[in-house]
Amino acid sequence: MPETAKIILDGTEYELPVMTGSEGEKAIDISKLRDLTGHITLDIGYKNTGATTSGITFLDGELGILRHRGYSIEDLAEKASYLEVAYLLLNGTLPTKAQYTDFEDKIKEHTLVNEGLEGMFKAFPTGSHPMGQLISMTSALSLFYPKSLNPHRDDEAVNRTVLRLLAKMPTICAMIYKKRHGHPIVYPKNSLDYVSNYLNMTFGQVTMDNYTPDPVIVDAMNKLLILHADHEQNCSASTVRMVGSSQANLYSSTAAGIAALWGPLHGGANQEVLEMLELIRQDGGNVAKWVAKAKDKNDNFRLMGFGHRVYKNFDPRARIIKKTCDDVLNKLGIHDPVLEIAKQLEEAALTDPYFIERKLYPNVDFYSGIIYRAIGFPTDFFTVLFAMGRLPGWISQWQEMRKEKQPIARPRQIYVGEPPRPFVFMNDRG
Ligand code: SDX
């Protein structure tokens, strides 16, 4: 007997189907609710609303579980490369050696960007935020590849667009880094793996014969990119789906996702965390004072990198990043005073009733910035790295929505404005 939910509206009882996901999650299917009852649901911020079914990522916020296509984030971070995880997200299975080599080779065919893109930097104000530049550059790709404008061309054309975007994102991110330092760009080297190539384009110099990235840094970057690769229907992934549902092309759907990620409540938090830790350090490291400010309703200060819409227990990614943080700083021989402050903040918050009652734990952004800074990235560049990591997740969400031929996303509302009123000409308005 299929499971149903009963509701009574204006004395009439209605039955709505209940669906159960492959991990036992339950949802009341309200797709026929308005036709049946004339009512809609209201759920500002979609805290209780599922926008889609999906087979890409599973989260259990109570148990702190994160899996991609059935594989645990712990296994993937420990045993896979970032490009393997990208393949997994996009194709649903981990690649065989032959499939991986083919995937990597195809990406290497597209790592260069049109030289015209470099001209865009002449328009950007010096020192302007790298995320604003990334949004512009990503959207501009649609101008250089007009055939990508129709996302429903044959699968071969769409797959080429996917490969182009995956291949060019590191090149664009490295160009943004170089231009902000007034340095000449370093072209991609197809002799390097995906992550090493990105590090070479970023920290290598045209005057250097061969920049060899520190294996500790390559390993840390792989882990960080994996930990950011996808996170089901977060704000930016939902944005990519929303924009893509209008049949907009992949480049502009991705640019919209990057824009959503920029917000300090979302991916922009990793920059805010470092700025917050620096502020506390400069203020003498008085952790108790800042925890009190975070709890004070009359104070706008929030503990950035803490709390999560879904994780009401630990964020498994934060645990892995915290350990990676210790490893990287120890191996690089770096003592960053803000790491101690971060650990004291975490300890103070996790024993404080305010945070315990609200189930606020460190999230993916709390420790990541400390590693990025140790590797040499400026604070306002951290969210660019989040976007680079999240790209295969966004693409896989966009592909899933496109393959399922989902309708254009168009939520409803409840109107609470003025009742009907006659138009009065300005001269008669007193
Ligand atoms: C990411 O969705 C994803 O999956 C996102 C992400 C991904 O991989 O895509 O995981 C990446 O965006 C991580 C989150 C990064 N953002 C931050 O670290 C910013 C700081 N955190 C928050 O602003 C907040 O916790 C959110 C935005 C993450 C979640 O907000 P919710 O679910 O809307 O919860 P809320 O704002 O309604 O807070 C509930 C209560 C409130 O107190 P009361 O009104 O009940 O008294 O908790 C309080 C909030 O004031 N609260 C905090 C807090 N976060 C929530 N108080 C102090 N410091 C905080 N950080």
Side-chain angles (χ1 to χ4, degrees):
M1 180 72 173
E3 195 179 343
T4 61
K6 288 189 179 116
I7 53 170
I8 298 172
L9 294 168
D10 308 328
T12 307
E13 182 177 290
Y14 300 92
E15 269 199 284
L16 296 168
V18 170
M19 78 160 293
T20 305
S22 49
E23 289 290 339
E25 296 164 301
K26 300 274 185 186
I28 300 169
D29 181 342
I30 57 167
S31 42
K32 300 277 186 291
L33 179 70
R34 192 168 183 277
D35 294 344
L36 278 174
T37 71
H39 288 59
I40 64 168
T41 58
L42 184 61
D43 183 19
I44 293 167
Y46 307 120
K47 294 193 174 187
N48 305 281
T49 297
T52 186
T53 57
S54 178
I56 301 169
T57 291
F58 171 68
L59 298 187
D60 182 317
E62 283 66 35
L63 299 178
I65 293 172
L66 168 55
R67 294 194 205 112
H68 295 312
R69 305 284 192 185
Y71 295 94
S72 76
I73 193 62
E74 291 81 5
D75 270 352
L76 294 173
E78 199 50 47
K79 300 168 185 167
S81 72
Y82 171 63
L83 210 56
E84 258 182 294
V85 173
Y87 183 98
L88 171 67
L89 289 170
L90 292 167
N91 299 286
T93 58
L94 283 168
T96 62
K97 182 88 180 112
Q99 288 168 331
Y100 182 78
T101 304
D102 177 57
F103 183 55
E104 194 178 32
D105 289 348
K106 284 198 169 79
I107 284 178
K108 288 182 174 180
E109 288 169 24
H110 298 287
T111 48
L112 281 170
V113 296
N114 187 301
E115 294 284 304
L117 263 176
E118 192 177 346
M120 289 180 68
F121 288 102
K122 293 192 179 73
F124 297 150
T126 308
S128 51
H129 200 288
M131 281 297 277
Q133 296 183 30
L134 185 60
I135 295 165
S136 311
M137 304 290 279
T138 304
S139 178
L141 287 172
S142 61
L143 311 178
F144 288 90
Y145 300 102
K147 286 185 185 161
S148 70
L149 297 184
N150 170 5
H152 296 286
R153 288 173 64 86
D154 53 280
D155 285 350
E156 197 273 330
V158 172
N159 195 42
R160 190 165 51 246
T161 299
V162 168
L163 289 170
R164 277 193 173 122
L165 187 49
L166 281 170
K168 297 178 192 307
M169 185 57 76
T171 308
I172 290 171
C173 292
M175 285 170 79
I176 292 172
Y177 181 91
K178 283 299 187 196
K179 288 295 178 184
R180 88 176 278 127
H181 291 84
H183 293 170
I185 62 168
V186 172
Y187 283 88
K189 262 189 187 170
N190 284 344
S191 57
L192 298 172
D193 64 73
Y194 192 85
V195 172
S196 301
N197 189 29
Y198 170 65
L199 291 168
N200 180 54
M201 291 189 285
T202 304
F203 297 117
Q205 296 289 354
V206 287
T207 51
M208 276 183 192
D209 287 338
N210 53 354
Y211 163 85
T212 313
D214 183 326
V216 171
I217 294 177
V218 175
D219 179 61
M221 277 304 291
N222 260 292
K223 269 196 178 64
L224 284 164
L225 292 171
I226 288 169
L227 293 169
H228 288 84
D230 189 57
H231 215 239
E232 53 126 285
Q233 303 312 313
N234 58 86
C235 178
S236 54
S238 300
T239 303
V240 171
R241 278 182 174 255
M242 173 73 82
V243 172
S245 74
S246 73
Q247 300 193 4
N249 65 81
L250 178 60
Y251 297 124
S252 46
S253 302
T254 302
I258 299 170
L261 187 74
W262 194 358
L265 295 188
H266 189 11
N270 57 15
Q271 170 179 342
E272 300 278 331
V273 167
L274 245 293
E275 289 168 357
M276 171 188 76
L277 293 172
E278 269 302 326
L279 190 65
I280 297 172
R281 186 179 69 82
Q282 286 159 25
D283 181 51
N286 182 345
V287 163
K289 169 187 167 188
W290 291 88
V291 168
K293 282 170 67 69
K295 292 159 55 179
D296 179 356
K297 285 296 164 212
N298 300 316
D299 191 323
N300 290 331
F301 176 75
R302 275 200 163 187
L303 216 46
M304 299 312 278
F306 254 77
H308 198 278
R309 175 62 57 76
V310 174
Y311 290 122
K312 297 309 172 192
N313 199 321
F314 62 92
D315 178 336
R317 303 167 297 174
R319 276 191 169 169
I320 299 169
I321 291 180
K322 182 180 178 182
K323 184 180 176 311
T324 307
C325 207
D326 281 327
D327 294 348
V328 171
L329 270 63
N330 290 337
K331 286 176 185 168
L332 295 179
I334 294 172
H335 170 65
D336 188 340
V338 297
L339 177 57
E340 279 322 303
I341 292 175
K343 287 181 176 177
Q344 288 167 27
L345 265 181
E346 178 183 7
E347 206 176 307
L350 296 187
T351 51
D352 184 300
Y354 172 94
F355 293 88
I356 295 169
E357 283 154 21
R358 291 166 181 79
K359 300 180 179 177
L360 301 175
Y361 294 85
N363 58 50
V364 67
D365 293 312
F366 192 61
Y367 285 103
S368 54
I370 298 172
I371 303 177
Y372 290 141
R373 180 155 87 164
I375 293 174
F377 292 105
T379 306
D380 66 356
F381 207 81
F382 294 171
T383 314
V384 168
L385 300 167
F386 193 145
M388 197 167 86
R390 183 56 49 93
L391 181 62
W394 287 329
I395 297 173
S396 55
Q397 300 278 350
W398 180 89
Q399 271 185 324
E400 185 176 69
M401 178 269 304
R402 190 181 70 85
K403 283 179 181 156
E404 288 175 4
K405 296 186 175 17
Q406 290 191 4
I408 184 167
R410 199 267 183 231
R412 288 194 174 253
Q413 63 160 33
I414 293 294
Y415 178 70
V416 293
E418 293 292 335
R421 49 185 171 167
F423 183 85
V424 176
F425 284 99
M426 194 179 292
N427 292 339
D428 305 331
R429 287 180 206 152

